[in-house]
Amino acid sequence: MKGTGQYDRVFALIGHPVAHSVSPLMHNEAFGELGLNCCYLAFDVKVDDLAAAVKAIRALGLGGANITIPHKEGVLPYLDEVEEQAGLIGAVNTVVNREGRLIGYNTDAPGFLESLRADAGFDPAGSRVVILGAGGAARAVAYALALGGVESLGIFNRNPSRAEALARDISRSAACELETGDLQGIALRRALARADLLVNATSAGMHPHTDEVPLPDPAALRPGLIVYDLVYNPRKTRLLLEAEARGCRVFNGIGMLVYQGALAFELWTGRKAPVAVMRVAAEKALGT
Ligand code: NAP
């Protein structure tokens, strides 16, 4: 691989916008912790410039990149190879430059599972899960859970036809029971009454729309239910506050953010990621 000036290797974040991303601080602190002479920079790349930006990973000899909103799906055609699970999900958030070949991975899915295990002590095998949302993050989470052996998966979305399309895709690779619906109906309440885990994968409640809540009837939340909100800004969404008040065990998306970053770091460096250092950096970057 080509040299990149004073650093042995340079890594990039490609997204739009990227100004408030916590990834640069998280990765740079991790490189520092392990004494690696590497650096991670954020680049604001518009959709029309994505192809050129991906080519630049190769041309400039970067070690790899993270790909974020809105490019996680659009980047696939520009890569030389896409790892199997990323191909199923249809989204790549990590690119590794292996001797000029760009390989795409999805670390959001295993990062979510790792956070569930490490932060919540929850193993999804044999469990009943309800997911709210059917966008990019919901796809990663749904595949992770389905391939992680859940017994049943309910996918509920404001636009239910997107939930149906996601369930159809998943049914081709996993054998779990699948159910879909909208956010208003009785089906969601029934599914929640039997669920072990509720995941919010919608953007409802995310800054600056902190008054929004994806679940219209919080009475459906019962004590002991694990509620995992992928949103991490604010640290506690209205959903998490309502769930906590009803005796649920609540988790925000910082854990997923840290573990997807840790898995990307390991793909790039071959070294075990300093997860605790990365979590402190993420919290610091978020001002929490
Ligand atoms: P996306 O592809 O744009 O999907 C957005 C989803 O949210 C869709 O299902 C959409 O429903 C739903 N939605 C939006 N506003 C809503 C509202 N007011 N009420 C109910 N549903 C609403 O976005 P994404 O990439 O999947 O991201 C979703 C969330 O996950 C974001 O908050 C993002 O920050 C978070 N996330 C966190 C991590 C992490 O590491 N913690 C990683 C990835 C994403 P419709 O289909 O009906 O429009």
Side-chain angles (χ1 to χ4, degrees):
M1 187 164 303
K2 289 177 210 166
T4 36
Q6 61 176 313
Y7 293 106
D8 294 337
R9 280 193 296 169
V10 173
F11 298 87
L13 172 67
I14 294 175
H16 176 71
V18 292
H20 299 291
S21 170
V22 307
S23 292
L25 189 64
M26 199 165 72
H27 284 288
N28 286 323
E29 297 266 315
F31 292 140
E33 175 71 13
L34 297 196
L36 297 172
N37 185 29
C38 298
C39 146
Y40 183 107
L41 300 165
F43 295 93
D44 196 317
V45 174
K46 303 219 170 70
V47 172
D48 286 350
D49 295 323
L50 178 62
V54 176
K55 252 181 133 174
I57 299 174
R58 206 185 283 113
L60 300 174
L62 304 189
N66 276 143
I67 310 294
T68 190
I69 289 172
H71 304 312
K72 287 185 190 182
E73 289 156 29
V75 73
L76 268 78
Y78 306 121
L79 301 174
D80 298 309
E81 201 179 308
V82 174
E83 179 267 342
E84 191 184 348
Q85 195 175 1
L88 281 177
I89 296 167
V92 158
N93 77 325
T94 300
V95 174
V96 181
N97 182 359
R98 287 220 174 90
E99 311 296 333
R101 276 182 69 73
L102 301 184
I103 326 265
Y105 297 84
N106 187 303
T107 68
D108 282 333
F112 170 74
L113 283 189
E114 196 49 44
S115 169
L116 264 189
R117 290 193 183 109
D119 300 331
F122 184 80
D123 179 352
S127 68
R128 309 185 70 88
V129 182
V130 169
I131 297 175
L132 308 179
R139 278 190 80 82
V141 164
Y143 268 102
L145 290 165
L147 300 173
V150 294
E151 184 186 307
S152 79
L153 203 54
I155 305 172
F156 296 86
N157 194 43
R158 187 171 59 179
N159 172 354
S161 64
R162 287 186 83 191
E164 283 157 27
L166 174 53
R168 255 195 317 276
D169 287 351
I170 286 179
S171 68
R172 292 190 196 105
S173 0
C176 60
E177 239 175 73
L178 287 157
E179 185 187 2
T180 63
D182 62 24
L183 299 174
Q184 310 291 335
I186 183 85
L188 171 55
R189 253 177 292 152
R190 281 209 195 108
L192 273 175
R194 288 174 285 135
D196 305 300
L197 168 69
L198 166 67
V199 182
N200 175 40
T202 77
S203 44
M206 187 170 78
H207 179 80
H209 305 290
T210 51
D211 56 324
E212 289 179 353
V213 61
L215 191 67
D217 181 11
L221 299 165
R222 52 177 179 70
L225 178 70
I226 296 177
V227 180
Y228 194 115
D229 197 330
L230 263 50
V231 175
Y232 47 79
N233 183 15
R235 202 186 168 89
K236 271 194 191 152
T237 56
R238 235 183 93 187
L239 173 68
L240 290 191
L241 290 169
E242 285 172 352
E244 200 169 44
R246 282 171 172 77
C248 303
R249 292 178 60 212
V250 305
F251 299 89
N252 67 20
I254 291 182
M256 175 175 173
L257 178 74
V258 169
Y259 283 104
Q260 65 74 30
L263 292 168
F265 183 95
E266 290 175 2
L267 284 168
W268 293 329
T269 65
R271 301 277 300 272
K272 182 134 188 52
V275 174
V277 167
M278 294 176 84
R279 187 179 284 260
V280 170
E283 304 253 9
K284 190 163 113 193
L286 286 165
T288 52

Coordinates of all heavy atoms in Angstrom, one line a residue, residues 134-177:
A134 N -38.4 0.2 9.1 CA -38.1 -0.7 8.0 C -37.1 0.0 7.0 O -37.0 -0.4 5.9 CB -39.4 -1.1 7.2
G135 N -36.3 0.9 7.6 CA -35.3 1.6 6.8 C -34.0 0.9 6.8 O -34.0 -0.3 7.2
G136 N -32.9 1.6 6.5 CA -31.6 0.9 6.5 C -31.2 0.3 7.8 O -30.7 -0.9 7.8
A137 N -31.4 1.0 8.9 CA -30.9 0.4 10.2 C -31.8 -0.8 10.6 O -31.3 -1.8 11.1 CB -31.0 1.5 11.2
A138 N -33.1 -0.7 10.3 CA -34.0 -1.8 10.6 C -33.6 -3.0 9.8 O -33.6 -4.2 10.3 CB -35.4 -1.4 10.3
R139 N -33.2 -2.8 8.5 CA -32.7 -4.0 7.7 C -31.5 -4.7 8.4 O -31.5 -5.9 8.5 CB -32.3 -3.5 6.3 CG -33.4 -3.3 5.3 CD -32.8 -3.1 3.9 NE -32.5 -4.3 3.3 CZ -33.3 -5.1 2.7 NH1 -34.6 -4.8 2.6 NH2 -33.0 -6.2 2.1
A140 N -30.5 -3.9 8.8 CA -29.3 -4.5 9.4 C -29.7 -5.2 10.7 O -29.3 -6.4 10.9 CB -28.3 -3.4 9.7
V141 N -30.6 -4.6 11.5 CA -31.0 -5.2 12.8 C -31.8 -6.5 12.6 O -31.6 -7.5 13.2 CB -31.7 -4.2 13.6 CG1 -32.5 -4.8 14.8 CG2 -30.8 -3.1 14.2
A142 N -32.7 -6.4 11.6 CA -33.6 -7.5 11.3 C -32.8 -8.7 10.8 O -33.0 -9.9 11.3 CB -34.7 -7.1 10.3
Y143 N -31.9 -8.5 9.9 CA -31.0 -9.6 9.4 C -30.2 -10.2 10.6 O -30.0 -11.4 10.7 CB -30.1 -9.2 8.3 CG -30.8 -9.4 6.9 CD1 -31.4 -8.4 6.2 CD2 -30.9 -10.7 6.4 CE1 -32.0 -8.6 5.0 CE2 -31.5 -10.9 5.2 CZ -32.0 -9.9 4.5 OH -32.6 -10.1 3.3
A144 N -29.6 -9.3 11.4 CA -28.7 -9.7 12.5 C -29.5 -10.7 13.4 O -29.1 -11.7 13.8 CB -28.2 -8.5 13.3
L145 N -30.8 -10.3 13.8 CA -31.6 -11.0 14.7 C -32.1 -12.3 14.0 O -32.0 -13.4 14.7 CB -32.8 -10.2 15.1 CG -32.4 -9.0 16.1 CD1 -33.6 -8.1 16.2 CD2 -32.0 -9.6 17.5
A146 N -32.5 -12.2 12.8 CA -33.0 -13.4 12.1 C -31.9 -14.5 12.0 O -32.1 -15.7 12.2 CB -33.6 -13.1 10.7
L147 N -30.7 -14.0 11.5 CA -29.6 -15.0 11.4 C -29.0 -15.4 12.8 O -28.3 -16.4 12.9 CB -28.5 -14.4 10.5 CG -29.0 -14.0 9.1 CD1 -27.9 -13.3 8.3 CD2 -29.4 -15.3 8.3
G148 N -29.4 -14.6 13.8 CA -28.9 -14.9 15.2 C -29.9 -15.9 15.8 O -29.7 -16.2 17.0
G149 N -30.9 -16.4 15.1 CA -31.7 -17.5 15.6 C -32.9 -17.1 16.4 O -33.4 -17.9 17.2
V150 N -33.5 -15.9 16.2 CA -34.7 -15.5 17.0 C -35.9 -16.5 16.6 O -35.9 -17.0 15.5 CB -35.2 -14.1 16.7 CG1 -34.2 -13.1 17.3 CG2 -35.5 -13.8 15.3
E151 N -36.8 -16.7 17.5 CA -37.9 -17.6 17.2 C -38.9 -16.8 16.3 O -39.5 -17.3 15.4 CB -38.6 -18.0 18.5 CG -39.7 -19.0 18.3 CD -40.4 -19.2 19.6 OE1 -39.7 -19.6 20.6 OE2 -41.7 -19.1 19.7
S152 N -39.2 -15.5 16.7 CA -40.1 -14.7 15.9 C -39.7 -13.3 15.8 O -39.0 -12.7 16.7 CB -41.5 -14.8 16.5 OG -41.6 -13.9 17.6
L153 N -40.0 -12.7 14.7 CA -39.7 -11.3 14.4 C -40.9 -10.6 13.9 O -41.5 -11.0 12.9 CB -38.6 -11.3 13.3 CG -37.6 -10.1 13.2 CD1 -36.9 -9.9 14.5 CD2 -36.6 -10.5 12.1
G154 N -41.3 -9.5 14.7 CA -42.4 -8.7 14.2 C -41.8 -7.4 13.7 O -41.0 -6.7 14.4
I155 N -42.1 -7.0 12.4 CA -41.6 -5.8 11.8 C -42.7 -4.8 11.6 O -43.6 -5.1 10.8 CB -40.8 -6.1 10.5 CG1 -39.7 -7.1 10.8 CG2 -40.2 -4.8 10.0 CD1 -39.0 -7.6 9.5
F156 N -42.7 -3.7 12.3 CA -43.8 -2.8 12.2 C -43.3 -1.4 11.8 O -42.3 -0.9 12.3 CB -44.5 -2.7 13.6 CG -45.2 -4.0 14.0 CD1 -44.4 -4.9 14.7 CD2 -46.5 -4.2 13.7 CE1 -45.0 -6.2 15.0 CE2 -47.1 -5.4 14.0 CZ -46.3 -6.4 14.7
N157 N -43.9 -0.8 10.8 CA -43.4 0.4 10.2 C -44.6 1.4 9.9 O -45.7 0.9 9.6 CB -42.6 0.1 8.9 CG -41.8 1.3 8.5 OD1 -41.2 2.0 9.3 ND2 -41.8 1.6 7.2
R158 N -44.3 2.7 10.0 CA -45.3 3.7 9.6 C -45.9 3.3 8.2 O -47.1 3.3 8.1 CB -44.6 5.0 9.6 CG -45.5 6.2 9.4 CD -44.8 7.5 9.6 NE -43.6 7.6 8.7 CZ -42.8 8.7 8.7 NH1 -43.0 9.7 9.6 NH2 -41.8 8.8 7.9
N159 N -45.0 3.0 7.3 CA -45.5 2.6 6.0 C -45.3 1.1 6.0 O -44.3 0.5 5.8 CB -44.6 3.2 4.9 CG -44.9 2.7 3.5 OD1 -45.6 1.7 3.4 ND2 -44.2 3.2 2.5
P160 N -46.5 0.3 6.2 CA -46.3 -1.1 6.4 C -45.9 -1.9 5.2 O -45.3 -3.0 5.3 CB -47.8 -1.6 6.8 CG -48.7 -0.4 6.4 CD -47.8 0.8 6.3
S161 N -46.0 -1.3 4.0 CA -45.5 -2.1 2.8 C -44.0 -2.2 2.8 O -43.5 -3.2 2.3 CB -46.0 -1.4 1.5 OG -45.5 -0.2 1.3
R162 N -43.3 -1.3 3.4 CA -41.8 -1.4 3.5 C -41.5 -2.6 4.5 O -40.5 -3.3 4.3 CB -41.2 -0.1 4.0 CG -41.2 0.9 3.0 CD -40.4 2.2 3.5 NE -38.9 2.0 3.3 CZ -38.1 2.9 3.9 NH1 -38.5 3.8 4.7 NH2 -36.8 2.7 3.7
A163 N -42.3 -2.7 5.6 CA -42.1 -3.8 6.5 C -42.3 -5.1 5.8 O -41.6 -6.1 6.1 CB -43.0 -3.6 7.7
E164 N -43.4 -5.2 5.0 CA -43.7 -6.5 4.3 C -42.5 -6.8 3.3 O -42.1 -8.0 3.3 CB -45.0 -6.3 3.4 CG -46.2 -6.4 4.3 CD -47.4 -5.7 3.6 OE1 -47.4 -5.6 2.4 OE2 -48.3 -5.2 4.3
A165 N -42.0 -5.8 2.6 CA -40.9 -6.1 1.7 C -39.7 -6.6 2.5 O -39.0 -7.6 2.0 CB -40.5 -4.8 0.9
L166 N -39.4 -6.0 3.6 CA -38.2 -6.5 4.4 C -38.5 -7.9 4.9 O -37.6 -8.8 4.8 CB -38.0 -5.5 5.6 CG -36.9 -5.9 6.6 CD1 -35.6 -6.2 6.0 CD2 -36.8 -4.8 7.7
A167 N -39.7 -8.2 5.4 CA -40.0 -9.6 5.9 C -39.8 -10.6 4.7 O -39.3 -11.7 4.9 CB -41.4 -9.6 6.5
R168 N -40.3 -10.2 3.5 CA -40.1 -11.1 2.4 C -38.7 -11.4 2.1 O -38.3 -12.6 1.9 CB -40.8 -10.5 1.1 CG -42.1 -11.0 0.7 CD -42.5 -10.6 -0.7 NE -42.3 -9.3 -1.0 CZ -43.1 -8.2 -0.8 NH1 -44.2 -8.5 -0.1 NH2 -42.8 -7.0 -1.1
D169 N -37.8 -10.4 2.2 CA -36.4 -10.6 1.9 C -35.8 -11.5 3.0 O -35.1 -12.5 2.7 CB -35.6 -9.3 2.0 CG -35.9 -8.4 0.8 OD1 -36.5 -8.9 -0.2 OD2 -35.5 -7.2 0.8
I170 N -36.2 -11.3 4.2 CA -35.6 -12.1 5.3 C -36.1 -13.5 5.2 O -35.3 -14.5 5.5 CB -36.0 -11.5 6.7 CG1 -35.1 -10.2 6.9 CG2 -35.8 -12.4 7.8 CD1 -35.4 -9.5 8.1
S171 N -37.3 -13.8 4.8 CA -37.8 -15.1 4.7 C -37.0 -16.0 3.8 O -37.0 -17.2 3.9 CB -39.3 -15.1 4.3 OG -39.4 -14.7 3.0
R172 N -36.2 -15.4 2.9 CA -35.4 -16.2 1.9 C -34.2 -16.7 2.6 O -33.5 -17.6 2.1 CB -35.0 -15.3 0.7 CG -36.2 -14.9 -0.1 CD -35.8 -14.3 -1.4 NE -36.9 -13.7 -2.0 CZ -37.2 -12.3 -2.0 NH1 -36.2 -11.5 -1.6 NH2 -38.3 -11.9 -2.5
S173 N -33.7 -16.1 3.7 CA -32.5 -16.6 4.4 C -32.6 -17.1 5.8 O -31.7 -17.6 6.4 CB -31.4 -15.5 4.4 OG -31.8 -14.3 3.8
A174 N -33.8 -16.9 6.4 CA -34.0 -17.3 7.8 C -35.3 -18.0 8.0 O -36.3 -17.7 7.3 CB -33.8 -16.1 8.7
A175 N -35.4 -18.9 9.0 CA -36.6 -19.7 9.2 C -37.5 -19.2 10.3 O -38.5 -19.9 10.7 CB -36.2 -21.1 9.4
C176 N -37.2 -18.0 10.9 CA -38.1 -17.5 12.0 C -39.5 -17.2 11.6 O -39.7 -16.9 10.4 CB -37.4 -16.3 12.7 SG -37.1 -14.9 11.6
E177 N -40.4 -17.1 12.6 CA -41.8 -16.7 12.3 C -41.7 -15.2 12.0 O -41.0 -14.4 12.7 CB -42.5 -16.8 13.6 CG -43.7 -17.6 13.7 CD -44.2 -17.7 15.2 OE1 -44.7 -16.7 15.6 OE2 -43.9 -18.7 15.8

